Amino acid sequence: MTQSHPRISKAVIPAAGLGTRFLPATKATPKEMLPVVDKPAIQYVVEEAVSAGLDDVLMVTGRNKRPLEDHFDRNYELESALEKKGDTERLAKVQESSDLAMIHYVRQGDPRGLGHAVLCAAPHVGDEPFAVLLGDDLIDPRDPLLQRMIEVQEQYGGSVIALMEVAPEQIHLYGCAAVDTTEDGDVVRVSGLVEKPDPADAPSHYAVIGRYVLDPHVFGILRRTEPGRGGEIQLTDALQQLAADEKIGGPVHGVVFKGRRYDTGDRGDYLRAIVRLACEREDLGPDFRTWLRSYVAEEMQGR
């Protein structure tokens, strides 16, 4: 039965990571600002939050992340130059990022893991449920995962995590959920969570991906959570406590996602994401696909 729960209005985007897998490109440029075709990855994430009705966005940043703030701020000199040229198309693209949402920033001075980054959002979020979007996972706008998660949270309360079925040999790369089925085909009840388990010990093939809708009780748990795997405060550990005792902050459910997801946290997947998105663009796709077919054919012949 549908219950009444507070409406979600705030999104939190942790963006304090060092981006070491992309060095040297990220030595002076935040990894969130690396372009995916012609937009930085972080803009896709903010657009997803806004599309789901969340236009109050808090970014948890760190040192050397000032370009994030600059990107979502006005650039009057550039706008003026484009206006004088009559380049309305590029002017609209420049202004789009600054008009997307009300964006706030807080620094995670001591990078102590995802759980700690989420905890930094507590003063801004308060006692409301909120969404967390990780910048490494780009979700195709044709597959409104976050909107579905919000619907599930409004129905059941508590917290909702995004799950994706992966091959057994890949489960050690993710947090893994133990689940029970529900009446909704794409929704499961989460009874436990393990961070990056050995495949032999994994409770399922359902991996946690970078979208969460969280009950504010998670903040109290995170304050008491000791550093776990990698010496960091793990969000998975806090969610495990919520799943084990729903009296704390309601149940934990998972939405099983079968749509299009682009992983930009790995160099190979980052390149594949660019190719896939470029192929699907109306302005770039036709010519790019023609070139790509020719290139692949030449490579195959060269073998």
Side-chain angles (χ1 to χ4, degrees):
M1 184 175 67
T2 301
Q3 304 175 38
S4 176
H5 300 285
R7 174 66 188 173
I8 298 169
S9 63
K10 295 177 180 178
V12 175
I13 302 176
L18 297 175
T20 53
R21 286 181 289 181
F22 282 83
L23 286 171
T26 50
K27 179 181 178 181
T29 301
K31 68 171 184 175
E32 296 84 4
M33 290 300 297
L34 295 180
V36 181
V37 188
D38 54 3
K39 285 192 297 190
I42 192 70
Q43 185 169 333
Y44 289 89
V45 180
V46 174
E47 288 173 350
E48 180 187 351
V50 172
S51 294
L54 312 182
D55 57 3
D56 184 335
V57 176
L58 175 71
M59 289 192 192
V60 183
T61 67
R63 290 182 295 276
N64 301 322
K65 299 286 184 167
R66 181 61 184 270
L68 293 174
E69 298 185 35
D70 291 341
H71 178 72
F72 291 101
D73 199 358
R74 298 292 298 273
N75 186 327
Y76 292 103
E77 294 82 4
L78 177 58
E79 291 177 27
S80 176
L82 292 171
E83 273 188 305
K84 290 177 181 178
K85 289 182 178 180
D87 194 341
T88 56
E89 182 179 351
R90 288 189 174 86
L91 177 61
K93 289 181 178 180
V94 167
Q95 292 176 332
E96 181 182 14
S97 59
S98 57
D99 295 336
L100 269 175
M102 179 66 70
I103 302 180
H104 313 268
Y105 303 89
V106 63
R107 282 202 173 191
Q108 182 187 14
D110 188 8
R112 298 167 58 197
L114 176 57
H116 182 258
V118 171
L119 185 55
C120 291
H124 181 80
V125 170
D127 295 327
E128 304 174 26
F130 63 104
V132 175
L133 297 86
L134 304 190
D136 287 346
D137 284 335
L138 304 188
I139 304 299
D140 195 293
R142 294 167 294 184
D143 301 310
L145 170 61
L146 185 58
Q147 184 175 329
R148 175 59 176 151
M149 294 173 67
I150 292 172
E151 292 171 357
V152 172
Q153 197 280 337
E154 290 176 342
Q155 180 178 357
Y156 293 104
S159 298
V160 181
I161 62 178
L163 301 174
M164 181 180 69
E165 193 165 9
V166 301
E169 60 270 18
Q170 292 183 318
I171 197 65
H172 72 283
L173 301 172
Y174 300 88
C176 178
V179 303
D180 300 304
T181 59
T182 70
E183 295 179 355
D184 296 312
D186 64 334
V187 179
V188 293
R189 181 74 170 262
V190 177
S191 58
L193 289 154
V194 182
E195 181 66 20
K196 297 181 178 178
D198 186 278
D201 301 324
S204 74
H205 297 158
Y206 287 113
V208 182
I209 60 175
R211 297 295 180 271
Y212 309 81
V213 176
L214 301 178
D215 183 276
H217 283 89
V218 74
F219 293 131
I221 297 175
L222 287 170
R223 291 187 183 99
R224 302 187 298 271
T225 298
E226 295 294 325
R229 191 181 183 96
E232 298 181 338
I233 297 174
Q234 299 288 347
L235 180 59
T236 303
D237 292 340
L239 288 169
Q240 163 63 25
Q241 292 190 43
L242 288 174
D245 184 2
E246 67 177 70
K247 294 179 182 178
I248 299 175
V252 178
H253 286 85
V255 171
V256 180
F257 182 62
K258 297 181 179 180
R260 288 154 285 202
R261 167 181 172 260
Y262 311 107
D263 182 359
T264 61
D266 172 84
R267 288 175 299 174
D269 285 338
Y270 169 75
L271 293 173
R272 284 185 280 273
I274 293 174
V275 171
R276 290 169 64 183
L277 287 169
C279 284
E280 294 180 359
R281 287 268 295 261
E282 292 183 3
D283 57 338
L284 297 173
D287 289 342
F288 185 68
R289 288 193 300 269
T290 298
W291 172 85
L292 190 59
R293 291 190 192 99
S294 175
Y295 174 74
V296 172
E298 291 175 4
E299 286 294 300
M300 295 298 291
Q301 290 175 358
R303 289 184 182 181

